[in-house]
């Protein structure tokens, strides 16, 4: 059995931190541009936003590619957090064919009828 070198947790932490910083920088860039470009209204439910609740307005990438940020904003739409979650759920359903794949479904672990006979004998009394 080959001996693996120990995992350098400090190096992994630095890599993760750098990736997060880069993602935040990328997001700030297109988010700020989108908020200047478009009215602060959800593109689906038409909810209006102010500075007080602006953190609930997100930038959705229409083609789901967060690295495709054309300067004209054609890949963006502003969505409230609820509509944004719904859009991503719909996309996942579309990619999977509309149903949860059988192999991905969690295994049933309980039996709702395990004690049915005893409950019926007691007449539903505890």
């Amino acid at each position: 059995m080959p001996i693996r070198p120990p995992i350098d947790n400090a190096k992994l932490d630095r890599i993760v931190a750098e990736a997060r910083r880069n993602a935040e920088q990328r997001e700030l860039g297109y988010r700020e541009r989108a908020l200047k470009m478009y009215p602060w209204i959800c593109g689906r439910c038409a909810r209006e936003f102010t500075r007080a609740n602006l953190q609930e307005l997100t930038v959705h990438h229409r083609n789901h590619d967060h690295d495709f940020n054309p300067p004209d904003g054609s890949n963006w739409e502003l969505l409230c957090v609820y509509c944004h979650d719904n859009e991503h759920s719909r996309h996942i359903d579309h990619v999977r064919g509309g149903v949860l794949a059988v192999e991905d479904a969690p295994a049933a672990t309980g039996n709702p009828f395990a004690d049915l006979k005893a409950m019926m004998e007691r007449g539903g009394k505890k």
Side-chain angles (χ1 to χ4, degrees), residues 108-122:
T109 57
N111 182 353
F113 304 109
D115 200 27
L116 182 60
K117 184 176 181 183
M119 286 190 288
M120 289 179 70
E121 289 172 356
R122 288 192 307 252

Side-chain angles (χ1 to χ4, degrees), residues 10-11 20 24 27-29 40 42 45 59-60 67 72 77-78 85 92-93 96 107-108 110-111 116 122:
K11 182 178 180 182
R20 285 185 178 155
E24 288 170 2
E27 182 177 311
L28 283 176
W40 294 356
C42 176
C45 69
V59 179
H60 172 64
D67 292 321
D72 66 353
E77 64 181 326
L78 297 179
D85 285 348
I92 290 169
D93 287 347
R96 286 190 171 188
N111 182 353
L116 182 60
R122 288 192 307 252

Side-chain angles (χ1 to χ4, degrees), residues 34-126:
L35 291 174
K36 288 178 185 174
M37 193 177 296
Y38 296 113
W40 294 356
I41 299 172
C42 176
R44 300 292 164 87
C45 69
R47 178 178 164 200
E48 295 185 25
F49 292 83
T50 64
R51 291 200 184 278
N53 63 354
L54 191 59
Q55 73 276 4
E56 296 176 23
L57 188 62
T58 64
V59 179
H60 172 64
H61 288 81
R62 294 172 192 227
N63 72 351
H64 299 274
D65 180 358
H66 290 246
D67 292 321
F68 181 61
N69 296 301
D72 66 353
S74 59
N75 191 36
W76 306 327
E77 64 181 326
L78 297 179
L79 299 178
C80 71
V81 292
Y82 306 108
C83 292
H84 197 182
D85 285 348
N86 180 263
E87 177 60 31
H88 280 273
S89 294
R90 289 176 53 227
H91 177 70
I92 290 169
D93 287 347
H94 174 73
V95 168
R96 286 190 171 188
V99 295
L100 184 65
V102 173
E103 58 272 5
D104 292 341
T109 57
N111 182 353
F113 304 109
D115 200 27
L116 182 60
K117 184 176 181 183
M119 286 190 288
M120 289 179 70
E121 289 172 356
R122 288 192 307 252
K125 298 177 187 173
K126 291 187 178 185

